[in-house]
């Protein structure tokens, strides 16, 4: 019989497990964050160990800081503000969560954030409601309040194209989870906006020689480039000669193979190998398992579906889950 791991409070709007799956953070409509821990390592029951308020408005997203940089979370609120919070020990017995960074906000709202750990530093990519993306870099690995803006650009292939006022309802970011010492940092970004050129998912890679971010692939067929993107997830790579990225639009979930070696023009080869149509309406979230072989999707129909590819490369639905009250 299925057993609930934790019961979240009424008004919970978002949640996130840490990298080991041993801690859970949840955000609520009243601007509070609750941290859940398991007191017994052999138990799968989680209880609330900390609760604190981060803002006067509700939260829409929580992301854990990578564990090598301590116990911390990034919080995005529904008014578009972004802040970092860190767990600190006052003494041997007292542990508190304290604000360590509030990012300056202009007229645009923060839509999505993701951390990416490169061989040299921790980076944070932030997508805004004006179609801009900003890359922040941590200057001191022991100090989560010391960030510097590394780059700022719009999500377009042609760097000459610039767009004025636009309306972006949501954005989705996924870093390449591979952490090879010789591998350049890369992530994929897509928007749900009223500007077709911004929407399609682009893979951005850091050019170490010229110290800039470049678009190296676009995950959209010519007829699909204006489709709004709802969710993205980059699969862990265990021995594949290519990368696998899942992208959700109103047409379904597209599975893309992205080459690892650039062509003479610097771009990566892309191939759309499958289009899954699992949910009746919008897909909210995509997540891969640790092996990069199983994809989980959830949407506005309230169902969770698991997908796998067989040895012939055919993707099929493996299971359907319906959360119980």
């Amino acid at each position: 019989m299925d057993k609930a791991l934790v019961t979240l409070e009424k008004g919970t709007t978002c949640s996130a497990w840490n990298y080991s799956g041993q801690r859970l953070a949840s955000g609520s409509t009243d601007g509070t964050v609750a941290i859940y821990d398991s007191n017994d390592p052999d138990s799968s029951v989680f209880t609330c160990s900390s609760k604190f308020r981060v803002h006067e408005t509700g939260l829409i997203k929580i992301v854990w800081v990578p564990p090598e940089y301590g116990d911390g979370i990034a919080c995005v609120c529904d008014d578009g503000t972004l802040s970092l919070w860190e767990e600190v020990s006052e003494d041997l017995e007292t542990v508190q969560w304290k604000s360590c960074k509030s990012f300056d906000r202009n007229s645009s709202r923060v839509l999505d954030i993701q951390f990416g750990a490169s061989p040299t530093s921790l980076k944070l990519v932030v997508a805004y409601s004006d179609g801009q993306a900003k890359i922040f870099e941590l200057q001191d690995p022991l100090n989560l309040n010391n960030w510097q803006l590394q780059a700022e650009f719009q999500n377009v292939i042609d760097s000459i194209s610039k767009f004025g006022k636009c309306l972006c309802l949501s954005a989705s970011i996924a870093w390449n989870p591979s952490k090879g010492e010789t591998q350049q940092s890369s992530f994929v970004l897509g928007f749900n906006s009223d500007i077709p050129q911004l929407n399609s998912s682009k893979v951005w890679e850091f050019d170490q020689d010229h110290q800039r971010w470049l678009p190296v692939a676009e995950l959209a067929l010519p007829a699909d480039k204006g489709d709004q993107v709802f969710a993205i997830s980059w699969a862990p790579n265990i021995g594949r000669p290519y990368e696998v990225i899942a992208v959700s639009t109103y047409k379904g979930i597209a599975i893309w193979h992205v080459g690892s070696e650039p062509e003479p023009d610097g771009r990566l080869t892309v191939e759309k190998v499958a289009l899954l149509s699992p949910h009746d309406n919008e897909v909210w979230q995509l997540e891969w398992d640790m092996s990069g072989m199983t994809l989980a999707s959830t949407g506005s129909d309230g169902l969770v579906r698991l997908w796998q590819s067989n040895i012939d490369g055919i993707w099929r639905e493996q299971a359907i889950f319906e959360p119980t009250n």
Side-chain angles (χ1 to χ4, degrees):
M1 182 178 178
D2 294 337
K3 182 180 179 180
L5 295 177
V6 60
T7 300
L8 302 179
E9 296 183 358
K10 185 178 179 180
T12 297
T13 54
C14 58
S15 62
W17 292 98
N18 71 346
Y19 285 73
S20 65
Q22 297 300 312
R23 311 189 79 183
L24 178 68
S26 69
S28 302
T29 54
D30 62 357
T32 60
V33 169
I35 305 296
Y36 296 86
D37 291 285
S38 178
N39 296 324
D40 183 358
D42 298 325
S43 172
S44 59
V45 178
F46 290 76
T47 57
C48 183
S49 58
S50 299
K51 192 174 182 180
F52 51 96
R53 191 169 190 181
V54 303
H55 201 52
E56 63 268 15
T57 64
L59 284 92
I60 61 173
K61 191 176 185 72
I62 294 177
V63 178
W64 286 85
V65 174
E68 55 265 39
Y69 296 92
D71 287 310
I73 57 173
C75 300
V76 180
C77 295
D78 57 15
D79 65 351
T81 56
L82 169 61
S83 60
L84 295 182
W85 293 73
E86 184 179 20
E87 188 179 51
V88 294
S89 299
E90 299 292 342
D91 50 50
L92 295 178
E93 296 183 356
T94 305
V95 175
Q96 291 185 342
W97 285 81
K98 292 189 174 181
S99 174
C100 56
K101 176 68 175 179
S102 292
F103 288 83
D104 294 335
R105 183 196 168 192
N106 52 25
S107 59
S108 300
R109 297 183 299 110
V110 173
L111 298 179
D112 195 22
I113 59 170
Q114 288 295 339
F115 291 102
S118 70
T120 57
S121 65
L122 177 66
K123 293 180 173 61
L124 173 66
V125 59
V126 184
Y128 292 85
S129 59
D130 61 357
Q132 293 286 121
K134 293 183 180 181
I135 313 296
F136 297 92
E137 186 173 33
L138 185 64
Q139 299 300 293
D140 181 356
L142 301 179
N143 190 353
L144 283 178
N145 68 359
N146 190 0
W147 294 82
Q148 181 176 334
L149 179 64
Q150 183 194 52
E152 181 177 2
F153 48 81
Q154 285 189 317
N155 191 43
V156 294
I157 289 290
D158 181 5
S159 60
I160 300 177
S161 300
K162 298 294 181 183
F163 302 97
K165 187 175 181 179
C166 61
L167 176 62
C168 299
L169 300 179
S170 62
S172 186
I173 306 164
W175 280 89
N176 183 347
S178 302
K179 297 181 181 179
E181 292 185 0
T182 61
Q183 192 168 15
Q184 299 295 344
S185 299
S186 57
F187 64 90
V188 58
L189 168 64
F191 278 92
N192 173 8
S193 79
D194 59 352
I195 303 295
Q197 294 90 334
L198 290 175
N199 290 335
S200 61
S201 301
K202 286 93 171 176
V203 177
W204 293 84
E205 185 174 281
F206 188 66
D207 180 1
Q208 189 69 40
D209 293 335
H210 300 90
Q211 292 292 299
R212 60 179 180 176
W213 289 88
L214 296 175
V216 294
E218 185 173 17
L219 307 183
L221 299 177
D224 304 331
K225 289 188 176 183
D227 294 348
Q228 293 95 340
V229 172
F230 301 137
I232 301 174
S233 188
W234 194 315
N237 190 344
I238 304 179
R240 285 191 304 263
Y242 54 85
E243 301 292 337
V244 179
I245 301 176
V247 178
S248 167
T249 68
Y250 76 94
K251 294 176 181 176
I253 300 172
I255 307 297
W256 291 87
H257 287 181
V258 181
S260 300
E261 297 296 329
E263 297 291 295
D265 62 358
R267 300 292 174 84
L268 302 177
T269 59
V270 297
E271 180 186 5
K272 184 178 178 180
V273 298
L275 180 63
L276 316 177
S277 301
H279 300 274
D280 295 334
N281 296 298
E282 182 179 326
V283 172
W284 288 345
Q285 190 172 359
L286 299 170
E287 293 289 345
W288 293 93
D289 70 342
M290 295 180 63
S291 69
M293 302 294 290
T294 302
L295 176 68
S297 64
T298 183
S300 54
D301 59 2
L303 301 177
V304 177
R305 300 173 188 264
L306 300 183
W307 302 84
Q308 285 184 338
S309 171
N310 62 20
I311 58 175
D312 296 322
I314 306 300
W315 284 84
R316 291 191 174 91
E317 188 178 81
Q318 300 297 315
I320 303 176
F321 302 94
E322 183 173 6
T324 57
N325 294 329

